[in-house]
Amino acid sequence: MKTKNLGLFEKYYNDEMDPEARKAFEESLSSDPELNASFREYLSIYEAISDKDALDLRMKLREIRDENSRG
């Protein structure tokens, strides 16, 4: 993934673009296969990070539950 687009991807993902910029970005995603592939990779990485955070939280909650059940 090319890092030059990370700021753009983050603005789009976080809904920080004005409607015109959002429309232009979506048109670019449709017409530029390389940009589209990079954005899909960005989304995959973001999802993986989110999944790891959720897994870490579940593990911590399990540890707390186990500690409480032991007394």
Side-chain angles (χ1 to χ4, degrees):
M1 170 178 30
K2 293 186 178 179
T3 57
K4 70 177 184 175
N5 294 314
L6 285 179
L8 186 63
F9 294 165
E10 288 175 2
K11 284 183 179 182
Y12 181 80
Y13 187 83
N14 293 317
D15 199 23
E16 297 172 345
M17 290 181 162
D18 63 60
E20 290 176 15
R22 187 172 187 82
K23 183 178 180 188
F25 178 71
E26 289 171 347
E27 289 173 358
S28 295
L29 283 177
S30 296
S31 64
D32 184 342
E34 188 176 328
L35 180 66
N36 189 292
S38 291
F39 184 63
R40 289 177 164 295
E41 186 177 358
Y42 167 84
L43 292 175
S44 295
I45 292 168
Y46 194 89
E47 240 178 61
I49 291 169
S50 296
D51 288 347
K52 184 186 178 321
D53 289 344
L55 179 61
D56 289 346
L57 177 60
R58 284 194 296 268
M59 290 174 61
K60 185 64 176 172
L61 290 172
R62 182 178 300 147
E63 288 172 12
I64 292 169
R65 184 190 65 220
D66 292 347
E67 286 176 15
N68 287 337
S69 68
R70 282 181 272 190

